[in-house]
Amino acid sequence: MLAQTAVKIKAFSPQIRQALAKPFLATADRLRPQGEEASPAGTAARFSAYFSRSRREIMRAQRLRYRIFSEEYGANIKAPFGLDRDRFDKHCLHLMVRDNQTGELVGYTRVLTDDRLAKTGGFYSAGEFSLGMVGRLDGRVAEIGRTCIHRDYRGGAVITVLWARLAQFMIEENIRYLIGCASLALSEGYDVGAIIEQIREKHLSAPAHRVHPKYTLPTLPQAGEGSTRMPPLLKAYLRMGADICGEPCWDPDFNCLDFFVLMAVDKLPERYVQHFLQPRQQTLSQAV
């Protein structure tokens, strides 16, 4: 696998090739259930990231999604048995992060690669945006979604482990672009107008990469006078150099605004290449 990965690295920028020049550390993962793929990419003793095909594990993730999106954020989800699930789940890859000390599922995202679109009829984001620009991108595309972190583990270590495994997956599968939606909850006290204003000024994509929302708020809030505090996931995308591809879509079921995010893997800032592709053992093993 490392030999195959080395060949695919040649397509990426020099800093990514340099960051991946050393082999990934193997993880001793005694708690890995049958049917799961262990995470090699620099995972630590405290947390393990892995792709799971286990139905029981996927149901655990759907339950975590429901607790966070519905019970914490007030999303209006039709969720029999307390599970957030939809028609895309059976076609996605499910990336989990587990606390090895407790066995608890503490982080999650799902990945939909472009070679599975014949089964889904398109990306999930196509339900909110007109995505004509995606077909013009020069390389493979994967969409991530339903990203969530357990409320007791939002100190940074879990999302780092998640991104480290996701980054290795992108290299292995020659994924050049990540797309997805970053949500801004309307009930969490954010200065929505100020955030939109800052995105328009500093973070919009090139015109050729713009998308158009299918649903918009009747009136967008005006910027306030306070500090521009951003949701952690949106903030993380912007710090990694991701572009916001136009105006947000209003999602009334999740009571949020969704921004369409485009991240070119070979344009990641070098500091984040080092951070996510070779996370340091001592950083990942610290208690959250």
Coordinates of all heavy atoms in Angstrom, one line a residue, residues 220-278:
L220 N -31.1 38.4 4.7 CA -29.9 38.0 5.5 C -29.7 39.0 6.6 O -29.9 40.2 6.4 CB -28.7 37.9 4.6 CG -28.7 36.8 3.6 CD1 -27.5 36.9 2.6 CD2 -28.6 35.4 4.3
P221 N -29.3 38.6 7.8 CA -29.1 39.5 8.9 C -27.9 40.5 8.5 O -27.0 40.2 7.8 CB -28.7 38.6 10.0 CG -29.2 37.2 9.6 CD -29.1 37.2 8.1
Q222 N -28.0 41.7 9.1 CA -27.0 42.7 9.0 C -25.9 42.4 10.0 O -26.1 41.8 11.1 CB -27.5 44.1 9.2 CG -28.6 44.5 8.1 CD -28.0 44.6 6.7 OE1 -26.9 45.2 6.5 NE2 -28.6 43.9 5.8
A223 N -24.7 42.8 9.7 CA -23.5 42.6 10.6 C -23.7 43.4 11.9 O -24.2 44.6 11.8 CB -22.2 43.0 9.9
G224 N -23.4 42.8 13.0 CA -23.4 43.5 14.3 C -22.1 44.2 14.6 O -21.3 44.3 13.7
E225 N -21.9 44.5 15.8 CA -20.7 45.2 16.2 C -19.8 44.3 17.0 O -18.7 44.8 17.5 CB -21.1 46.5 17.0 CG -21.9 47.5 16.2 CD -22.3 48.7 17.0 OE1 -21.9 48.7 18.2 OE2 -22.9 49.6 16.4
G226 N -20.1 43.1 17.3 CA -19.3 42.2 18.1 C -18.2 41.5 17.3 O -18.0 41.8 16.1
S227 N -17.5 40.6 17.9 CA -16.4 39.9 17.2 C -17.0 38.8 16.3 O -18.2 38.4 16.5 CB -15.5 39.2 18.3 OG -16.3 38.3 19.0
T228 N -16.3 38.5 15.3 CA -16.8 37.5 14.3 C -16.4 36.1 14.7 O -15.4 35.5 14.3 CB -16.3 37.8 12.9 OG1 -16.5 39.2 12.6 CG2 -16.9 37.0 11.8
R229 N -17.2 35.5 15.6 CA -16.9 34.2 16.1 C -17.6 33.2 15.1 O -18.7 33.4 14.7 CB -17.6 34.0 17.5 CG -17.4 32.6 18.1 CD -18.0 32.5 19.5 NE -19.4 32.7 19.5 CZ -20.3 31.8 19.4 NH1 -19.9 30.5 19.4 NH2 -21.6 32.0 19.5
M230 N -16.8 32.2 14.7 CA -17.3 31.3 13.6 C -17.4 29.9 14.2 O -16.7 29.5 15.1 CB -16.3 31.2 12.5 CG -16.2 32.4 11.6 SD -15.3 32.1 10.1 CE -15.6 33.6 9.2
P231 N -18.3 29.1 13.6 CA -18.4 27.7 14.0 C -17.1 27.0 13.7 O -16.4 27.3 12.8 CB -19.5 27.1 13.0 CG -20.3 28.3 12.6 CD -19.3 29.4 12.6
P232 N -16.7 26.0 14.6 CA -15.4 25.4 14.5 C -15.0 24.8 13.1 O -13.9 25.0 12.6 CB -15.4 24.4 15.6 CG -16.4 24.9 16.6 CD -17.4 25.6 15.8
L233 N -16.0 24.1 12.5 CA -15.7 23.4 11.3 C -15.5 24.4 10.2 O -14.6 24.3 9.4 CB -16.9 22.5 10.9 CG -16.6 21.6 9.6 CD1 -15.4 20.8 9.8 CD2 -17.8 20.8 9.3
L234 N -16.4 25.5 10.1 CA -16.2 26.5 9.1 C -14.9 27.2 9.3 O -14.1 27.5 8.3 CB -17.3 27.5 9.1 CG -17.3 28.7 8.2 CD1 -17.2 28.3 6.8 CD2 -18.5 29.6 8.4
K235 N -14.5 27.5 10.5 CA -13.3 28.2 10.8 C -12.1 27.3 10.4 O -11.1 27.8 9.8 CB -13.2 28.4 12.3 CG -12.0 29.2 12.8 CD -12.0 29.5 14.3 CE -10.8 30.3 14.8 NZ -10.9 30.5 16.2
A236 N -12.2 26.0 10.6 CA -11.1 25.1 10.2 C -10.9 25.0 8.7 O -9.8 25.1 8.2 CB -11.4 23.7 10.8
Y237 N -12.0 25.0 8.0 CA -11.9 25.0 6.5 C -11.2 26.2 6.0 O -10.3 26.2 5.2 CB -13.3 25.0 5.9 CG -13.9 23.6 5.8 CD1 -15.2 23.4 6.2 CD2 -13.2 22.5 5.3 CE1 -15.8 22.1 6.2 CE2 -13.8 21.3 5.2 CZ -15.1 21.1 5.6 OH -15.7 19.9 5.5
L238 N -11.6 27.4 6.6 CA -11.0 28.6 6.1 C -9.5 28.7 6.4 O -8.7 29.2 5.7 CB -11.8 29.8 6.7 CG -13.2 29.9 6.2 CD1 -13.9 31.1 6.9 CD2 -13.3 30.0 4.7
R239 N -9.1 28.3 7.6 CA -7.7 28.3 8.0 C -6.9 27.4 7.1 O -5.7 27.6 6.9 CB -7.6 27.8 9.4 CG -7.9 28.9 10.5 CD -7.7 28.4 11.9 NE -7.8 29.5 12.8 CZ -7.6 29.3 14.2 NH1 -7.3 28.1 14.6 NH2 -7.7 30.3 15.0
M240 N -7.5 26.3 6.5 CA -6.8 25.4 5.6 C -6.8 25.9 4.2 O -6.4 25.2 3.3 CB -7.4 24.0 5.7 CG -7.1 23.3 7.0 SD -7.6 21.6 7.1 CE -9.4 21.8 7.2
G241 N -7.3 27.1 4.0 CA -7.2 27.7 2.7 C -8.4 27.3 1.7 O -8.3 27.5 0.5
A242 N -9.4 26.8 2.3 CA -10.6 26.4 1.5 C -11.3 27.7 1.0 O -11.3 28.7 1.6 CB -11.6 25.5 2.3
D243 N -12.0 27.5 -0.2 CA -12.8 28.6 -0.7 C -14.2 28.4 -0.5 O -14.7 27.3 -0.4 CB -12.6 28.7 -2.3 CG -11.2 29.1 -2.7 OD1 -10.6 29.9 -1.9 OD2 -10.7 28.7 -3.7
I244 N -14.9 29.5 -0.3 CA -16.4 29.4 -0.2 C -16.9 29.8 -1.5 O -16.6 30.9 -2.0 CB -16.9 30.4 0.9 CG1 -16.3 30.0 2.3 CG2 -18.4 30.3 1.0 CD1 -16.6 28.7 2.8
C245 N -17.8 29.0 -2.1 CA -18.1 29.1 -3.5 C -19.4 29.9 -3.7 O -20.2 29.5 -4.6 CB -18.2 27.8 -4.2 SG -16.6 26.9 -4.1
G246 N -19.6 31.0 -3.0 CA -20.8 31.8 -3.2 C -21.7 31.9 -2.0 O -21.3 31.7 -0.9
E247 N -22.9 32.4 -2.2 CA -23.8 32.7 -1.1 C -24.3 31.4 -0.5 O -24.4 30.3 -1.1 CB -25.0 33.5 -1.7 CG -24.6 34.9 -2.2 CD -24.0 35.7 -1.1 OE1 -24.7 36.0 -0.1 OE2 -22.9 36.2 -1.3
P248 N -24.7 31.4 0.8 CA -25.1 30.2 1.5 C -26.5 29.8 1.1 O -27.4 30.6 0.7 CB -25.1 30.6 3.0 CG -25.3 32.1 3.0 CD -24.7 32.6 1.7
C249 N -26.8 28.5 1.4 CA -28.1 28.0 1.2 C -28.8 27.8 2.6 O -28.1 27.5 3.5 CB -28.0 26.6 0.5 SG -29.6 25.8 0.3
W250 N -30.1 28.2 2.6 CA -30.8 28.0 3.8 C -31.4 26.6 4.0 O -32.1 26.2 3.1 CB -31.9 29.1 3.9 CG -32.8 29.0 5.1 CD1 -32.5 28.8 6.3 CD2 -34.3 29.1 5.0 NE1 -33.6 28.7 7.2 CE2 -34.7 28.9 6.4 CE3 -35.2 29.4 4.1 CZ2 -36.0 29.0 6.8 CZ3 -36.6 29.4 4.4 CH2 -37.0 29.3 5.8
D251 N -31.1 26.0 5.1 CA -31.6 24.6 5.3 C -32.6 24.8 6.5 O -32.1 24.8 7.7 CB -30.5 23.7 5.7 CG -30.9 22.2 5.8 OD1 -32.1 22.0 6.1 OD2 -30.1 21.3 5.7
P252 N -33.9 24.9 6.3 CA -34.8 25.0 7.4 C -34.9 23.8 8.3 O -35.2 24.0 9.5 CB -36.1 25.3 6.6 CG -36.0 24.7 5.3 CD -34.5 24.8 4.9
D253 N -34.7 22.6 7.8 CA -34.8 21.4 8.6 C -33.7 21.4 9.7 O -33.9 21.0 10.8 CB -34.7 20.2 7.8 CG -35.9 20.0 6.9 OD1 -37.0 20.5 7.3 OD2 -35.8 19.3 5.9
F254 N -32.5 21.9 9.3 CA -31.3 21.9 10.2 C -31.2 23.3 10.9 O -30.3 23.5 11.7 CB -30.0 21.5 9.5 CG -29.9 20.0 9.4 CD1 -30.6 19.3 8.5 CD2 -29.0 19.3 10.3 CE1 -30.4 17.9 8.4 CE2 -28.8 18.0 10.2 CZ -29.6 17.3 9.2
N255 N -32.1 24.3 10.5 CA -32.1 25.6 11.1 C -30.7 26.2 10.9 O -30.1 26.7 11.9 CB -32.5 25.6 12.5 CG -32.8 27.0 13.1 OD1 -33.2 27.9 12.3 ND2 -32.5 27.2 14.4
C256 N -30.1 26.2 9.7 CA -28.8 26.7 9.5 C -28.6 27.3 8.1 O -29.5 27.0 7.2 CB -27.8 25.6 9.8 SG -27.8 24.3 8.5
L257 N -27.5 28.0 7.9 CA -27.1 28.3 6.6 C -25.9 27.4 6.2 O -25.0 27.2 7.0 CB -26.6 29.8 6.6 CG -27.7 30.9 6.7 CD1 -27.0 32.2 6.8 CD2 -28.7 30.8 5.6
D258 N -25.9 26.9 5.0 CA -24.8 26.0 4.6 C -24.0 26.7 3.5 O -24.5 27.3 2.5 CB -25.4 24.7 3.9 CG -25.9 23.8 5.0 OD1 -25.5 23.8 6.1 OD2 -26.8 22.9 4.6
F259 N -22.7 26.8 3.7 CA -21.8 27.3 2.8 C -21.1 26.2 2.0 O -20.7 25.2 2.6 CB -20.7 28.1 3.5 CG -21.2 29.4 4.2 CD1 -21.6 29.4 5.5 CD2 -21.2 30.6 3.5 CE1 -22.1 30.5 6.1 CE2 -21.7 31.7 4.1 CZ -22.1 31.7 5.4
F260 N -21.1 26.3 0.7 CA -20.4 25.3 -0.1 C -18.9 25.5 -0.1 O -18.5 26.6 -0.5 CB -21.0 25.3 -1.5 CG -20.5 24.1 -2.4 CD1 -21.1 22.9 -2.3 CD2 -19.4 24.3 -3.2 CE1 -20.6 21.8 -3.0 CE2 -18.9 23.3 -4.0 CZ -19.5 22.0 -3.9
V261 N -18.2 24.5 0.3 CA -16.8 24.6 0.5 C -16.0 23.8 -0.6 O -16.4 22.7 -0.9 CB -16.4 24.1 1.9 CG1 -14.9 24.1 2.1 CG2 -17.0 25.0 3.0
L262 N -15.0 24.4 -1.1 CA -14.1 23.7 -2.1 C -12.7 23.8 -1.6 O -12.2 24.9 -1.3 CB -14.2 24.3 -3.5 CG -13.2 23.8 -4.5 CD1 -13.5 22.4 -4.9 CD2 -13.3 24.7 -5.8
M263 N -12.1 22.6 -1.4 CA -10.7 22.6 -0.9 C -9.9 21.8 -1.9 O -10.1 20.6 -2.1 CB -10.6 22.0 0.5 CG -9.2 22.1 1.1 SD -9.3 21.8 2.9 CE -9.8 20.1 3.0
A264 N -8.9 22.4 -2.5 CA -7.9 21.8 -3.4 C -6.8 21.2 -2.6 O -6.1 21.9 -1.9 CB -7.4 22.7 -4.4
V265 N -6.6 19.9 -2.6 CA -5.6 19.2 -1.7 C -4.2 19.8 -2.0 O -3.5 20.0 -1.0 CB -5.7 17.7 -2.0 CG1 -4.7 17.0 -1.1 CG2 -7.1 17.2 -1.6
D266 N -3.9 20.0 -3.2 CA -2.5 20.5 -3.5 C -2.3 21.9 -3.2 O -1.2 22.5 -3.4 CB -2.1 20.1 -4.9 CG -3.0 20.7 -6.0 OD1 -4.0 21.4 -5.6 OD2 -2.8 20.6 -7.2
K267 N -3.3 22.6 -2.7 CA -3.1 24.0 -2.3 C -3.2 24.2 -0.8 O -3.3 25.3 -0.3 CB -4.2 24.9 -3.0 CG -4.0 25.0 -4.5 CD -5.0 25.9 -5.1 CE -4.8 26.0 -6.6 NZ -5.9 26.9 -7.2
L268 N -3.2 23.1 0.0 CA -3.2 23.2 1.4 C -1.9 23.9 1.9 O -0.8 23.7 1.4 CB -3.2 21.8 2.0 CG -4.5 21.1 2.2 CD1 -4.3 19.6 2.6 CD2 -5.4 21.8 3.2
P269 N -2.1 24.9 2.8 CA -0.9 25.5 3.3 C 0.1 24.5 4.0 O -0.4 23.5 4.5 CB -1.4 26.5 4.4 CG -2.9 26.7 4.0 CD -3.3 25.4 3.4
E270 N 1.4 24.7 3.8 CA 2.3 23.7 4.3 C 2.2 23.4 5.7 O 2.3 22.2 6.1 CB 3.8 24.3 4.0 CG 4.8 23.3 4.3 CD 6.2 23.7 3.9 OE1 6.3 24.8 3.4 OE2 7.2 23.0 4.2
R271 N 1.8 24.4 6.6 CA 1.7 24.1 8.0 C 0.6 23.1 8.3 O 0.7 22.3 9.2 CB 1.5 25.4 8.8 CG 0.2 26.1 8.5 CD 0.1 27.4 9.2 NE -1.2 28.1 9.1 CZ -1.5 28.9 8.0 NH1 -0.6 29.0 7.1 NH2 -2.6 29.5 8.0
Y272 N -0.4 23.1 7.4 CA -1.5 22.1 7.6 C -1.2 20.8 7.0 O -1.7 19.7 7.5 CB -2.8 22.7 7.1 CG -3.4 23.7 8.0 CD1 -3.3 25.1 7.6 CD2 -3.9 23.4 9.2 CE1 -3.7 26.1 8.5 CE2 -4.4 24.4 10.1 CZ -4.3 25.7 9.7 OH -4.7 26.7 10.5
V273 N -0.4 20.8 6.0 CA 0.1 19.5 5.4 C 0.9 18.7 6.5 O 0.6 17.6 6.8 CB 1.0 19.7 4.2 CG1 1.6 18.4 3.8 CG2 0.2 20.3 3.0
Q274 N 1.8 19.5 7.2 CA 2.5 18.8 8.2 C 1.6 18.4 9.4 O 1.8 17.4 10.0 CB 3.6 19.8 8.7 CG 4.6 20.2 7.7 CD 5.5 19.0 7.3 OE1 5.7 18.1 8.1 NE2 6.0 19.1 6.1
H275 N 0.6 19.3 9.7 CA -0.2 19.0 10.9 C -1.1 17.8 10.7 O -1.3 17.0 11.6 CB -1.1 20.3 11.1 CG -1.9 20.2 12.4 ND1 -1.3 20.1 13.6 CD2 -3.2 20.3 12.6 CE1 -2.3 20.0 14.5 NE2 -3.5 20.1 13.9
F276 N -1.7 17.7 9.5 CA -2.7 16.6 9.3 C -2.1 15.3 8.7 O -2.6 14.3 9.0 CB -3.8 17.1 8.4 CG -4.7 18.1 9.1 CD1 -4.8 19.4 8.6 CD2 -5.4 17.7 10.2 CE1 -5.7 20.3 9.2 CE2 -6.2 18.6 10.8 CZ -6.4 19.9 10.4
L277 N -1.0 15.5 7.9 CA -0.5 14.3 7.3 C 0.5 13.6 8.2 O 0.8 12.4 8.1 CB 0.2 14.6 5.9 CG -0.8 15.0 4.8 CD1 -0.1 15.2 3.5 CD2 -2.0 14.1 4.7
Q278 N 1.2 14.3 9.1 CA 2.1 13.8 10.0 C 1.8 14.4 11.4 O 2.7 15.1 12.0 CB 3.5 14.0 9.6 CG 4.0 13.3 8.4 CD 5.4 13.4 8.2 OE1 6.1 14.3 8.6 NE2 6.0 12.4 7.4

